[in-house]
Amino acid sequence: MNSEDFQENTSGHLISIPEGGFAYVPNPLPPMNLTWDSELIEVLSLADRTLGELAGIGRSLPNPHLLVRPFLRREAVLSSRIEGTQASLADVLAYEAVQLPLFGAPDDVSEVHNYVRALEYGLERMSSLPVSLRLIRELHDILLEGVRGEQFRAGEFRQVQNFIGPPGSSLATATYVPPPPKEMMEALQQLELYINESSNLPPLLRLGLIHYQFEAIHPFPDGNGRLGRLLISILLCAWNLLPQPLLYLSAFFETNRPDYYANLRGVSEKGNWNSWLSFFLNGVSSQAIDAAARVKRINDLRENYRQRFQQGRSAARLLQVVDLLFARPLISVRTVEEELALPYPTAERYIDELVKQGILEGTGKARNRVFRANEILQVIEKSV
């Protein structure tokens, strides 16, 4: 890490480390040099407005859990992709549909599935535990269970110096060296206090500050990026900014990956908080608008399906299967049987009917066969 790059900043300071060279220690939040310029005020206003509109849509959804489930998995795919995984949303949904043991899944699918499990766990755990260092360790334990990085003692903060750099780099050639373990723990404790204390700063600004701070502290040997993005979704719900986890920033970070890393680094090197926060808030606005459009398209599609199938002797049960498709766009007969407590032949008959109507398309062989709801998947996956 070139110490000369970090000379002009007020967001942290360099310290010498026993291994040689320097490590960066971020100062406690909030920053002292945050400037309320016109650009920051404008992007914050837009982010607040678009997020508020998405929250209103979320509160009006008749069955929000139907929509949240596939969008959460899309976020897991995109967040994991930033770290190099290649699994698609269809890959993850297909493994869940046939309920194969996760140890039989490809590594990339396992990583994405762990992200889903961690986020679902965190959202549920908030009812009994605040966003804390304990919760962060629990989430990390789930995130790395049985996948690459597990050898780094999942669920435990690092006890050695780590660094960030291109493949093959060393501590001497690293682009960034986070704080040593002792300073790391002090910074984490300060971050925990900041997350849970009252503040006069707008919540979305605080969320941007917290995301930077977590990534700068880099408290685990592996999984810091995924966990940092996961915490955004959890805090949006913990602070009641959203009634359901409908907003995810990984799509924005993935699309703008060079700017994402450059803006994070700009805070560490030059204390350029405004640039990072403007980038972060633009991401909130962009993804809130995107999510609202997808939710509208999903609702329109669901209403179209319900109108098509609301007549007939078995309409009520068939509509339950149709609704289930919005939570599980890739589905098996066994899933329908278990989720709706139907006899297997009845579940199979409903699946066959939806195939005839062009709602579902069968994929794979007869054993463990999966059926795709292509129109639903297109709304979730494609650009709006």
Side-chain angles (χ1 to χ4, degrees), residues 157-175:
F157 295 126
R158 59 181 170 86
Q159 299 177 11
V160 297
Q161 183 65 61
N162 63 348
F163 59 88
I164 300 172
S169 59
S170 64
L171 186 62
T173 60
T175 55

Side-chain angles (χ1 to χ4, degrees), residues 179-198:
K182 178 179 178 293
E183 289 78 6
M184 174 202 76
M185 285 307 307
E186 293 172 356
L188 281 173
Q189 290 162 0
Q190 292 162 345
L191 177 60
E192 181 183 50
L193 289 173
Y194 182 73
I195 290 173
N196 291 286
E197 69 185 10
S198 59

Side-chain angles (χ1 to χ4, degrees), residues 19 38 46 90 176 214 290 312:
E19 296 86 351
S38 59
L46 179 60
Y176 178 75
F214 182 84
D290 179 276

Side-chain angles (χ1 to χ4, degrees), residues 116-126 135 138-139 142:
V116 171
R117 290 174 53 225
L119 184 47
E120 290 178 335
Y121 175 86
L123 292 167
E124 181 179 352
R125 190 79 163 98
M126 286 189 309
L135 177 60
E138 291 176 1
L139 295 173
I142 297 171

Side-chain angles (χ1 to χ4, degrees), residues 24-336:
Y24 176 82
V25 181
N27 291 336
L29 297 175
M32 302 301 295
N33 62 325
L34 191 60
T35 305
W36 286 96
D37 59 26
S38 59
E39 179 184 359
L40 186 60
I41 293 171
E42 183 178 349
V43 294
L44 175 60
S45 176
L46 179 60
D48 276 332
R49 184 171 72 252
T50 54
L51 187 68
E53 291 170 356
L54 179 60
I57 293 171
R59 294 187 184 97
S60 67
L61 293 174
N63 293 298
H65 66 280
L66 295 179
L67 297 176
V68 167
R69 190 178 187 278
F71 284 130
L72 189 155
R73 280 148 179 79
R74 177 176 179 263
E75 160 67 7
V77 167
L78 294 172
S79 184
S80 300
R81 189 172 295 166
I82 294 175
E83 308 303 325
T85 65
Q86 299 299 315
S88 69
L89 177 61
D91 293 333
V92 176
L93 293 173
Y95 265 91
E96 293 181 345
V98 297
Q99 301 176 0
L100 292 177
L102 198 59
F103 60 76
D107 289 344
D108 285 2
V109 174
S110 297
E111 287 194 24
V112 175
H113 185 77
N114 281 0
Y115 189 99
V116 171
R117 290 174 53 225
L119 184 47
E120 290 178 335
Y121 175 86
L123 292 167
E124 181 179 352
R125 190 79 163 98
M126 286 189 309
S127 62
S128 58
L129 183 70
V131 178
S132 58
L133 299 187
R134 177 180 172 182
L135 177 60
I136 288 171
R137 290 197 306 270
E138 291 176 1
L139 295 173
H140 187 262
D141 189 34
I142 297 171
L143 199 63
L144 265 65
E145 183 181 352
V147 299
R148 61 175 180 170
E150 187 184 30
Q151 71 274 17
F152 293 125
R153 304 178 73 175
E156 296 184 26
F157 295 126
R158 59 181 170 86
Q159 299 177 11
V160 297
Q161 183 65 61
N162 63 348
F163 59 88
I164 300 172
S169 59
S170 64
L171 186 62
T173 60
T175 55
Y176 178 75
V177 181
K182 178 179 178 293
E183 289 78 6
M184 174 202 76
M185 285 307 307
E186 293 172 356
L188 281 173
Q189 290 162 0
Q190 292 162 345
L191 177 60
E192 181 183 50
L193 289 173
Y194 182 73
I195 290 173
N196 291 286
E197 69 185 10
S198 59
S199 173
N200 293 325
L201 285 177
L204 287 179
L205 275 187
R206 294 186 68 214
L207 199 56
L209 298 177
I210 289 166
H211 182 71
Y212 162 79
Q213 194 79 348
F214 182 84
E215 298 304 328
I217 296 170
H218 228 64
F220 298 103
D222 191 36
N224 295 284
R226 283 168 289 163
L227 188 49
R229 292 185 288 274
L230 187 152
L231 284 172
I232 294 172
S233 301
I234 290 177
L235 285 170
L236 282 167
C237 294
W239 291 348
N240 295 316
L241 298 177
L242 285 176
Q244 300 286 339
L246 290 169
L247 182 102
Y248 305 103
L249 293 186
S250 290
F252 181 80
F253 292 159
E254 164 70 9
T255 302
N256 301 279
R257 193 186 305 195
D259 290 337
Y260 172 56
Y261 289 123
N263 277 290
L264 287 173
R265 190 169 173 81
V267 178
S268 300
E269 293 183 353
K270 305 184 186 310
N272 196 347
W273 282 107
N274 281 50
S275 180
W276 158 248
L277 289 171
S278 293
F279 175 82
F280 181 85
L281 293 169
N282 278 327
V284 171
S285 302
S286 170
Q287 294 312 115
I289 293 169
D290 179 276
R294 290 180 196 276
V295 169
K296 182 180 185 304
R297 287 174 58 184
I298 283 284
N299 274 335
D300 290 346
L301 187 59
R302 178 175 177 267
E303 184 59 29
N304 176 276
Y305 286 173
R306 292 185 68 83
Q307 289 179 4
R308 287 174 60 179
F309 297 111
Q310 64 186 355
Q311 302 297 326
R313 187 174 59 182
S314 303
R317 275 303 206 180
L318 185 56
L319 288 176
Q320 288 182 327
V321 179
V322 169
D323 276 349
L324 186 59
L325 297 182
F326 288 87
R328 299 180 178 273
L330 271 76
I331 201 166
S332 66
V333 176
R334 187 70 64 191
T335 301
V336 175

